[in-house]
Amino acid sequence: MSRYNAKETETKWQGVWNDAACFAVTEDRSKPKYYVLEMFPYPSGRIHMGHVRNYTIGDVIARYKRARGFNVLHPMGWDAFGLPAENAAIEKKVPPGDWTYENIAIMRDQLKTMGLSLDWSREIATCHPGYYRHEQKMFLDFLKAGLVYRKESWVNWDPVDHTVLANEQVIDGRGWRSNALVEKRKLPQWVFKITEFADELLDDLSTLDRWPEKVRVMQHNWIGRSEGAHVRFPFVNAPGYSDTAEIEVFTTRPDTLFGASFCALSPNHPLTTGLCENDEQAAAFVAECNRMGTSEEAIEKAEKLGYDTGLRVRHPLDPDIELPVFIANFVLMEYGTGAIFGCPGHDQRDLDFARKYGLTVVPVVLPPQADAADFEIGNEAYVGDGRIINSRFLNDLTVDDAKRRVIEELESLQAGTGTIQYRLRDWGVSRQRYWGCPIPVIHCGDCGIVPVPESDLPVQLPDDVSFDKPGNPLDHHATWKHTTCPACGKEAQRETDTFDTFTESSWYFARFCSPRAENAMDKDAVDYWLPVDQYIGGVEHAVLHLLYSRFFTRALKRCGYLNLDEPFSGLFTQGMVCHETYQDESGEWLPPADLQRDGGGNPITSSGKPVTVGRSIKMSKSKKNTIDPAEIIGTYGADTARWFMLSDSPPERDMEWTEAGVEGAWRFVQRLWRLISEDTEKLPAIGGPVPTAFGDKASDLRRTTHKTIADVTDAIEQFRFNRAVAKLYELTNSLTSARSEEPDALWAKREAFEVLVRLFGPMMPHLAEELWQRLGHKGLLVDEAWPLADDTLTAEETVTLPIQVNGKLRATIDIVVDEADDSVREAALQQPGVQRAIGEKQVRKLIIVKNRVVNIVV
RNA sequence: GCCCCCGUGGCGGAAUUGGUAGACGCGGCAGACUCAAAAUCUGUUGCCUUCACGGGCGUGCCUGUUCGAGUCAGGCCGGGGGCACCA
């Protein structure tokens, strides 16, 4: 018996599928559609194990749904704009476009060795003008619809990448790519109005019942809806430097308004800025605030500091109450109105501030068990529920009632309004980079900002750029930005900023529906294919990409591109691929591929030095604990890699890649090959007569076969691939021990083999195709329907019943299914183990749960 | 600080959703085949105790609900993730 040659066989079947264009699809209205999409890769150069896991999971679903009779769209493309291409240009003097397309070519070949059921005819690369021209058109449409605006604003500036970052891209005060401390700069920005849909984006999360709860919670928190009120505090004496006669604050606790003892402005508030012009001390205080870091530790340790401006405001509900106005370092300009009122009794931070500056502390909410006569606030603010006190017309109300009542009052006095505040902010998309989609506007000295006429699209990136100077090459280019104004014809300049690369990935799933259409999307095609039925990718995109895509879909709907709200009806977030880490004596990280084993199986360096084994963490270049998928596929074949990916760990959890695990998967591939190909000649012919009767062994095998169909189907539907794998091992084990050569047994064996091959087909498609052919089939397995379990065969005739005494297992008995309680009771009590356990004691109660358990209480 | 998730053998993980805990795989041990090794096959493998039959313990810890708890409830401990001077 020859060994299974994975390499040869895999190449062969990949060729067959390709020649038959098996996975190319069109809108076939006679079948239900199913759109499976994995998050498309950035063309970094080579595929990594995370890709292998992602695309293996997606391919199992795609092939399974196809076998279930769905018209499956399963496309692939490239998220091709981005900074690494520019870095490569600087380091290797290669134009970013060339570098990107070369990487795409390599990675496309690598992906093809995985045997994925992809419709390659739909391949797209976002850096191609045929793709990004549509994005430019969308921008112009968004502009007309008021979903894009330009804003001079404080931005997060990444000093290493020389670009602006969105809030979502700043993690702990650092750039998400460069990890550099982010600085604040004031720049004009193009901004997508994501807050237009804040409510919808939040409310519709509840319709996404096939999304992980975790992701919905994360988006919920990110959008951060707070109900409260805007309240205006008029100045006692209007400050001379401003026309403004009041301070407007946002609060979620208007019920505590009578507990107010101060107001505080952000150091960046316009009133503060005005004040600083006449008050050196205030200016010094503000400068001090701006010097403070924005990192997590800095914020954590920072003392709550204030500067008393000497200004006074009147309480909105009682003009006789006057409150001091501070500038305070903890008030953020970006949230609410950039000003607050402080109620020390019921907010810890306000309390700390009041104690520090000797302000009054009036309790206005009485805890349920406390006595109004002697209730005082000590060192802890009371933030819980209770009855309102010391608050005139609000007294005795609950917190919630008081909120409603006080908002009514404020609104009738025109001193405030009930409002909803979001944490979510609009999405700034301008990036000072070359390798991105140009923003299609022109700056004219006379006409201001003029959109590029649609007939002039696309605004194409120039190829001849230089990276010799830091900053944006588009800005440095000799001719590119110089143009004429579309409105007046005078000399004008192009916008040199490009879009944030998250823009391309916000609509690529729609482009896949009609990738070569003249317009961005063909209506028939998007109506047929969208939404994506199953989207699969890493949880790291829970907020960024997935929120942007939800926004984009709504914006595109408003502009008439498509007709849906939610782009992804099902989402699955897979875990990371981890590996042990290795260090030599000097602490240098060592790649697993460079290690050898000593006599005891311990890893050593190639020169025989000892190696410290560290815990298993996500594969990363910096820790060098990566395994190259190309090498694994070259050695063991794609099926082995795919099988191991699915085997042990549930797909949503992090998994550990181990050599032993791969070996195990590889052994199973060989075992299946031997098991089935050794026996094919003995089996009855395809479509041969069904035996009139089956013996016990054949019946047992058939029951196992059909139960396996039911179990594996169920497991795949639920994304529990590790369980599907276990069930397939069990069927294989049963087949290994089925040695009878009686005609009925051989018939059952052919049935089992064919079921087995079809069930693992989505996971190991090449081996399955090969064995399908060896079993004598002329057609392709990929065109074969999914097997159906025969319920009449899976029903058990007998069941093993556990017998417990006081809840502890003492015996088991085999009974006929649905056996009468009386005979079960009798059999149970006769068991020696049961009698031993009962002993002299009295049987008080005997519980029989049909076909499940017997419990005897003594 | 707030919100969410997770704790099961040496390891990855199963457990029909309240009914025989440890399926399946990895690893280990023993054996067969072999001159030998690899490969393959067979058996065994939660812990403690016993020559054995058997018995005891066991799903992070403590309480509770129940005939019965890995599963439900309450409280701790530990790990991971998200958000965070957000008013």
Side-chain angles (χ1 to χ4, degrees):
Chain A
M1 177 59 55
S2 62
R3 264 195 165 184
Y4 175 61
N5 186 330
K7 198 161 201 169
E8 221 169 72
T9 310
E10 292 184 353
T11 310
K12 177 176 78 183
W13 290 111
Q14 284 159 17
V16 170
W17 297 328
N18 184 55
D19 293 346
C22 287
F23 310 115
V25 283
T26 54
E27 294 94 77
D28 175 353
R29 279 161 219 283
S30 68
K31 285 188 194 169
K33 69 92 184 180
Y34 199 88
Y35 185 176
V36 190
L37 185 66
E38 301 103 48
M39 290 180 183
F40 66 163
Y42 176 78
S44 56
R46 300 180 71 80
I47 63 169
H48 55 67
M49 281 299 177
H51 293 129
V52 175
R53 195 174 194 197
N54 195 181
Y55 302 137
T56 297
I57 293 169
D59 202 45
V60 170
I61 298 301
R63 286 176 180 268
Y64 165 74
K65 288 290 179 183
R66 196 166 179 276
R68 295 297 311 242
F70 289 89
N71 189 31
V72 173
L73 173 58
H74 187 206
M76 180 55 71
W78 310 96
D79 190 12
F81 275 136
L83 216 39
E86 291 188 50
N87 293 336
I90 294 162
E91 284 163 28
K92 297 175 188 152
K93 310 282 176 205
V94 198
D98 293 357
W99 183 83
T100 303
Y101 282 112
E102 276 166 29
N103 286 348
I104 288 174
I106 295 166
M107 290 175 73
R108 184 194 298 117
D109 284 348
Q110 291 191 323
L111 283 184
K112 285 190 172 175
T113 66
M114 282 187 66
L116 303 169
S117 63
L118 292 166
D119 181 355
W120 281 106
S121 72
R122 292 174 184 257
E123 180 181 0
I124 54 178
T126 59
C127 63
H128 194 282
Y131 182 84
Y132 68 69
R133 56 182 288 223
H134 302 294
E135 191 164 299
Q136 294 176 336
K137 166 86 160 58
M138 287 172 196
F139 173 85
L140 298 177
D141 288 336
F142 289 3
L143 198 59
K144 277 183 226 152
L147 293 169
V148 175
Y149 62 100
R150 195 166 165 81
K151 185 174 139 192
E152 177 94 10
S153 63
W154 288 97
V155 295
N156 307 300
W157 179 261
D158 186 319
V160 169
D161 285 347
H162 292 286
T163 189
V164 167
L165 299 176
N167 290 315
E168 287 84 347
Q169 293 162 350
V170 180
I171 295 147
D172 289 345
R174 291 173 182 272
W176 69 294
R177 279 201 72 259
S178 70
N179 206 33
L181 276 175
V182 168
E183 298 168 4
K184 292 281 172 198
R185 286 203 185 176
K186 203 161 195 179
L187 283 180
Q189 284 280 297
W190 287 104
V191 182
F192 283 164
K193 205 171 176 189
I194 190 167
T195 54
E196 173 86 6
F197 300 100
D199 244 333
E200 251 186 77
L201 289 168
L202 186 70
D203 292 346
D204 291 353
L205 284 173
S206 63
T207 68
L208 299 174
D209 55 328
R210 288 173 52 237
W211 278 42
E213 177 68 18
K214 182 164 93 169
V215 174
R216 296 198 316 232
V217 167
M218 282 165 68
Q219 292 212 357
H220 184 99
N221 291 341
W222 188 264
I223 296 168
R225 178 188 153 110
S226 307
E227 288 186 25
H230 281 156
V231 184
R232 289 189 288 275
F233 289 74
F235 281 111
V236 173
N237 298 308
Y241 58 84
S242 169
D243 303 338
T244 316
E246 62 193 15
I247 294 175
E248 187 173 28
V249 306
F250 173 73
T251 178
T252 55
R253 293 298 302 273
D255 55 301
T256 64
L257 203 48
F258 283 105
S261 50
F262 65 96
C263 280
L265 300 169
S266 162
N268 299 320
H269 196 283
L271 284 170
T272 308
T273 311
L275 182 71
C276 289
E277 283 168 19
N278 303 310
D279 185 338
E280 275 179 32
Q281 278 182 297
F285 177 77
V286 169
E288 178 62 33
C289 292
N290 287 340
R291 255 200 300 283
M292 288 214 312
T294 49
S295 74
E296 199 180 341
E297 311 93 87
I299 288 166
E300 198 72 36
K301 287 186 197 131
E303 206 180 345
K304 310 293 174 256
L305 295 174
Y307 171 79
D308 189 345
T309 62
L311 297 169
R312 295 290 179 271
V313 288
R314 292 188 198 287
H315 195 283
L317 299 174
D318 181 350
D320 292 339
I321 305 173
E322 293 185 8
L323 303 173
V325 177
F326 284 78
I327 301 166
N329 64 349
F330 59 86
V331 181
L332 303 174
M333 194 56 222
E334 301 88 53
Y335 187 77
T337 61
I340 60 162
F341 85 79
C343 175
H346 307 284
D347 181 284
Q348 191 58 43
R349 199 185 41 205
D350 292 349
L351 181 63
D352 295 343
F353 190 82
R355 295 285 189 232
K356 188 175 171 81
Y357 293 101
L359 304 169
T360 55
V361 179
V362 182
V364 291
V365 181
L366 186 67
Q369 306 304 328
D371 181 355
D374 60 9
F375 177 65
E376 275 181 29
I377 301 289
N379 289 324
E380 273 189 35
Y382 177 69
V383 295
D385 206 352
R387 295 276 166 183
I388 304 294
I389 54 171
N390 301 328
S391 298
R392 308 184 190 184
F393 62 94
L394 299 176
N395 282 343
D396 234 28
L397 296 175
T398 63
V399 165
D400 281 345
D401 288 342
K403 281 179 181 168
R404 274 188 286 275
R405 179 71 188 85
V406 77
I407 287 170
E408 273 171 32
E409 185 70 16
L410 288 167
E411 287 178 349
S412 77
L413 292 171
Q414 303 203 339
T417 44
T419 43
I420 292 159
Q421 186 70 43
Y422 295 93
R423 211 189 68 97
L424 181 71
R425 278 166 241 156
D426 283 333
W427 174 21
V429 290
S430 299
R431 297 291 180 272
Q432 293 67 45
R433 307 302 322 175
Y434 161 72
W435 194 232
C437 171
I439 298 176
V441 296
I442 291 165
H443 298 266
C444 171
D446 292 349
C447 311
I449 290 169
V450 184
V452 173
E454 278 175 27
S455 54
D456 291 353
L457 296 184
V459 177
Q460 254 181 272
L461 285 172
D463 293 326
D464 53 334
V465 284
S466 153
F467 290 89
D468 296 343
K469 286 187 272 184
N472 184 353
L474 286 180
D475 202 28
H476 305 150
H477 192 276
T479 56
W480 186 80
K481 70 178 175 184
H482 302 292
T483 183
T484 53
C485 172
C488 69
K490 281 201 196 130
E491 276 191 19
Q493 295 202 331
R494 289 190 187 285
E495 170 77 61
T496 57
D497 284 355
T498 52
F499 285 126
D500 179 358
T501 56
F502 276 99
T503 316
E504 286 81 58
S505 53
S506 295
W507 64 281
Y508 79 108
F509 47 86
R511 183 64 180 167
F512 274 136
C513 299
S514 51
R516 308 286 175 255
E518 191 51 37
N519 294 322
M521 44 201 86
D522 179 85
K523 258 211 152 134
D524 278 353
V526 288
D527 283 350
Y528 178 83
W529 290 114
L530 290 178
V532 174
D533 295 278
Q534 188 61 60
Y535 197 35
I536 305 159
V539 74
E540 65 273 18
H541 294 108
V543 177
L544 297 160
H545 162 58
L546 290 168
L547 189 61
Y548 294 149
S549 298
R550 296 182 64 220
F551 157 70
F552 238 81
T553 304
R554 285 166 174 80
L556 289 171
K557 182 185 179 187
R558 188 172 287 187
C559 294
Y561 282 78
L562 39 69
N563 188 29
L564 82 160
D565 295 313
E566 290 295 343
F568 314 120
S569 61
L571 173 69
F572 187 88
T573 51
Q574 100 252 6
M576 297 181 298
V577 183
C578 301
H579 196 280
E580 277 183 337
T581 48
Y582 308 102
Q583 281 172 288
D584 67 14
E585 290 161 310
S586 61
E588 283 286 303
W589 300 102
L590 303 168
D594 290 1
L595 298 179
Q596 303 189 336
R597 299 274 158 180
D598 68 9
N602 301 310
I604 50 170
T605 66
S606 49
S607 54
K609 299 251 175 63
V611 168
T612 313
V613 180
R615 69 186 193 97
S616 187
I617 53 173
K618 183 192 177 180
M619 285 188 183
S620 75
K621 278 185 196 151
S622 63
K623 299 292 182 336
K624 295 195 181 159
N625 61 337
T626 54
I627 301 289
D628 184 355
E631 277 185 35
I632 297 295
I633 293 171
T635 311
Y636 299 99
D639 286 338
T640 296
R642 292 168 61 125
W643 185 254
F644 177 52
M645 276 294 175
L646 300 165
S647 289
D648 280 354
S649 302
E652 71 278 9
R653 234 180 272 184
D654 290 351
M655 66 169 289
E656 190 181 359
W657 184 273
T658 61
E659 189 68 15
V662 186
E663 294 276 354
W666 186 74
R667 276 202 298 274
F668 185 61
V669 168
Q670 297 291 342
R671 193 176 148 207
L672 282 172
W673 164 260
R674 257 182 281 116
L675 177 70
I676 296 177
S677 55
E678 270 174 8
D679 264 359
T680 45
E681 276 153 37
K682 298 175 196 154
L683 300 177
I686 294 167
V690 183
T692 47
F694 290 97
D696 283 353
K697 287 197 172 152
S699 296
D700 283 351
L701 180 57
R702 295 199 72 200
R703 176 164 28 243
T704 307
T705 300
H706 284 264
K707 282 185 90 160
T708 306
I709 296 173
D711 289 346
V712 170
T713 304
D714 197 48
I716 291 177
E717 289 279 354
Q718 294 180 53
F719 278 77
R720 305 179 73 174
F721 304 118
N722 54 323
R723 248 176 112 230
V725 163
K727 294 295 175 188
L728 290 168
Y729 269 113
E730 284 181 37
L731 179 58
T732 307
N733 291 344
S734 302
L735 276 162
T736 307
S737 49
R739 300 196 198 281
S740 167
E741 301 206 346
E742 295 297 316
D744 65 327
L746 287 174
W747 193 95
K749 204 166 189 179
R750 169 174 278 282
E751 180 185 44
F753 278 157
E754 296 197 346
V755 162
L756 178 62
V757 167
R758 285 192 285 168
L759 292 181
F760 73 69
M763 305 171 184
M764 296 190 283
H766 313 89
L767 177 65
E769 199 71 76
E770 180 70 15
L771 288 172
W772 188 249
Q773 190 187 50
R774 297 225 162 206
L775 283 164
H777 292 276
K778 298 280 174 266
L780 288 175
L781 178 65
V782 288
D783 293 328
E784 208 60 34
W786 193 248
L788 291 174
D790 183 340
D791 293 341
T792 60
L793 291 174
T794 57
E796 297 278 359
E797 285 155 16
T798 63
V799 60
T800 304
L801 202 63
I803 315 297
Q804 302 175 334
V805 177
N806 284 349
K808 289 199 173 176
L809 183 73
R810 295 300 171 186
T812 59
I813 56 172
D814 288 329
I815 60 155
V816 179
V817 168
D818 291 335
E819 187 162 326
D821 285 359
D822 284 348
S823 82
V824 170
R825 177 199 308 262
E826 198 174 321
L829 288 169
Q830 273 170 10
Q831 294 300 308
V834 172
Q835 295 199 339
R836 246 196 320 272
I838 296 172
E840 298 298 303
K841 285 165 243 147
Q842 181 98 38
V843 176
R844 290 227 314 252
K845 206 170 174 186
L846 196 145
I847 292 151
I848 298 176
V849 182
K850 223 172 192 42
N851 302 329
R852 268 285 149 75
V853 75
V854 176
N855 193 12
I856 300 162
V857 187
V858 297

